[in-house]
C-alpha cells in the first residue's frame, strides 16, 4: 500500500471562532475513523509558536528556514491506502471536516520506510 500526505496551510482554514470547536471535533472524528480503518500512520498540526531551525550536516543550528517553506504551517496527516482513489476519498472527508481544501501528495516507494 502507498502512503499519502494530506495537508493544508494554516491560512486556508478560515473558521469563525465560534465554530472552531465543532471543526476540531469533526476533524478528530475523521482521524478516529482512519485509525479504526487501520489506515492512519501519523498526523498533527505544526506548532506556529515555535520557530523552525535549520540544522546543517555538521550539526550547526541557525534560526532560519528554506525560503520556500517559510510559511509551512497548518495541519497534516499521513495515511496508508490501497489506491489514489481511496486517498482522494479520505482527503475529501478531511476537507469537509476542516472546511478547507486539502493538498494530496503521494510518497515515493521506499522499502526501508
Amino acid at each position: 500500500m502507498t502512503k499519502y500526505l494530506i495537508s493544508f496551510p494554516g491560512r486556508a482554514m478560515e473558521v469563525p471562532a465560534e465554530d472552531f470547536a465543532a471543526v476540531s471535533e469533526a476533524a478528530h472524528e475523521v482521524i478516529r475513523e482512519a485509525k479504526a480503518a487501520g489506515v492512519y500512520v501519523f498526523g498533527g498540526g505544526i506548532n506556529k509558536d515555535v520557530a523552525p531551525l535549520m540544522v546543517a550536516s555538521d550539526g550547526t543550528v541557525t534560526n532560519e528556514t528554506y525560503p520556500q517553506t517559510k510559511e509551512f504551517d497548518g495541519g497534516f496527516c499521513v495515511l496508508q491506502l490501497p489506491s489514489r482513489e481511496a486517498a482522494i476519498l479520505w482527503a475529501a472527508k478531511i476537507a469537509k471536516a476542516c472546511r478547507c481544501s486539502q493538498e494530496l501528495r503521494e510518497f515515493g516507494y521506499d522499502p526501508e520506510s
Side-chain angles (χ1 to χ4, degrees), residues 74 78 99:
V78 176
R99 300 184 190 176

Side-chain angles (χ1 to χ4, degrees), residues 39-56:
V39 299
Y40 183 82
V41 177
F42 179 78
I46 302 298
N47 186 343
K48 65 182 178 179
D49 297 327
V50 178
L53 300 173
M54 186 73 76
V55 182

Side-chain angles (χ1 to χ4, degrees), residues 1 27-42 78-81 90 93:
M1 289 211 293
H28 287 125
E29 180 57 36
V30 175
I31 295 305
R32 288 191 289 271
E33 182 183 349
K35 287 178 178 180
V39 299
Y40 183 82
V41 177
F42 179 78
V78 176
L79 303 181
Q80 189 163 332
L81 299 161
W90 280 101
K93 288 181 185 189

